[in-house]
Amino acid sequence: FQPKLLAGKKLLITAGPTFEAIDPVRGITNHSSGKMGFAIARAAQEAGAEVTLIAGPVHLPTPPHVRRIDVQSAQQMFDAVLPQAPLHDVFVATAAVADWRPAVMNEHKIKKDGKKLAPSFELTENPDILAAVASLPDKPWCVGFAAESQDLLTHAREKLLRKNVPLIVGNLGPATFGRDDNTLVLVDAAGHRELPAGDKLALARQLVAEIARRTAGV
Ligand code: C5P
């Protein structure tokens, strides 16, 4: 049983991958399942929070009593998040946002040219949603995530400073995408602490308790 740790608080959460269209039938995406973000949305709602979940393309049911907004691309996620952010107390950025998108979206399907020449694409950088929210004058309390293939703590610490957020949650261990279990490490200005291992809902409940503790009185 969870006491209502987040009663009266509003949480905004991003989850899942983004999809960056190349043409009407193709695009760039990643293996994020959205499970961690959806678990946090569920745990926060159970803890009494009012939850808005902004989801990239995922195959997951909406947790009960959670307001969900579906988006595809990083730019659409940015456009959905920014006006919502000042209306919330806490922002949890779990989405695996594509860092780059094709500079142009072809209106029609790109065809083979018959000369065995593969097309090449110019990429352009997507906006950093978390950094943009964390620089708003009326910003919510921000939590970022870090999934890295190496040097997790170094990268998590670097994100803490670069994005100017009070907490980064690191995904420890390989291949967390799509799995139900995970190991998380909390990284803040003071140091780092591993959360006891568990499935994503158990971890989400621990993280929600941690957010409640850190934002009490904020
Ligand atoms: O920049 P990087 O991908 O290393 O940082 C990951 C964190 O930043 C995650 O919390 C992710 O949701 C967030 N992020 C974002 N917008 C981006 C890239 C990452 O909100 N364009």
Side-chain angles (χ1 to χ4, degrees):
F1 172 74
Q2 281 276 315
K4 299 283 184 193
L5 291 170
L6 287 177
K9 296 259 173 167
K10 291 186 176 179
L11 261 79
L12 179 66
I13 302 169
T14 61
T18 63
F19 181 88
E20 312 297 328
I22 293 170
D23 68 17
V25 295
R26 306 183 181 94
I28 300 170
T29 187
N30 61 65
H31 285 305
S32 170
S33 66
K35 282 180 181 172
M36 194 66 231
F38 275 58
I40 294 167
R42 172 183 290 269
Q45 193 280 329
E46 285 173 0
E50 223 177 278
V51 179
T52 306
L53 177 60
I54 308 218
V58 296
H59 303 281
L60 293 172
T62 309
H65 312 297
V66 163
R67 182 165 76 110
R68 172 173 175 178
I69 301 170
D70 285 324
V71 297
Q72 293 279 320
S73 67
Q75 186 63 52
Q76 287 170 359
M77 189 174 274
F78 182 92
D79 292 343
V81 166
L82 266 283
Q84 289 292 330
L87 310 175
H88 290 76
D89 302 295
V90 177
F91 175 51
V92 186
T94 69
V97 183
D99 290 316
W100 303 279
R101 66 174 181 274
V104 282
M105 199 290 229
N106 289 274
E107 197 187 335
H108 298 292
K109 184 181 171 189
I110 301 167
K111 306 296 288 176
K112 281 183 261 191
D113 68 356
K115 292 182 234 151
K116 302 269 182 222
L117 271 182
S120 57
F121 302 105
E122 198 185 318
L123 297 176
T124 185
E125 198 169 325
N126 273 326
D128 188 317
I129 301 165
L130 177 56
V133 169
S135 66
L136 293 171
D138 43 1
K139 65 181 168 191
W141 199 83
C142 291
V143 183
F145 267 71
E148 299 289 341
S149 51
Q150 55 183 352
D151 298 333
L152 177 69
L153 286 178
T154 310
H155 287 297
R157 233 166 261 302
E158 178 269 325
K159 282 187 228 287
L160 206 61
L161 298 173
R162 179 165 48 89
K163 303 195 186 224
N164 188 30
V165 297
L167 182 64
I168 291 281
V169 182
N171 279 297
L172 276 179
T176 78
F177 285 139
R179 291 179 54 150
D180 289 318
D181 57 333
N182 201 357
T183 306
L184 297 181
V185 57
L186 305 179
V187 183
D188 64 13
H192 69 271
R193 181 167 71 81
E194 229 177 272
L195 291 179
D199 65 19
K200 286 184 176 172
L201 187 56
L203 288 166
R205 287 180 172 141
Q206 294 183 60
L207 184 58
V208 157
E210 192 68 37
I211 290 170
R213 194 174 64 71
R214 289 173 187 242
T215 59
V218 170

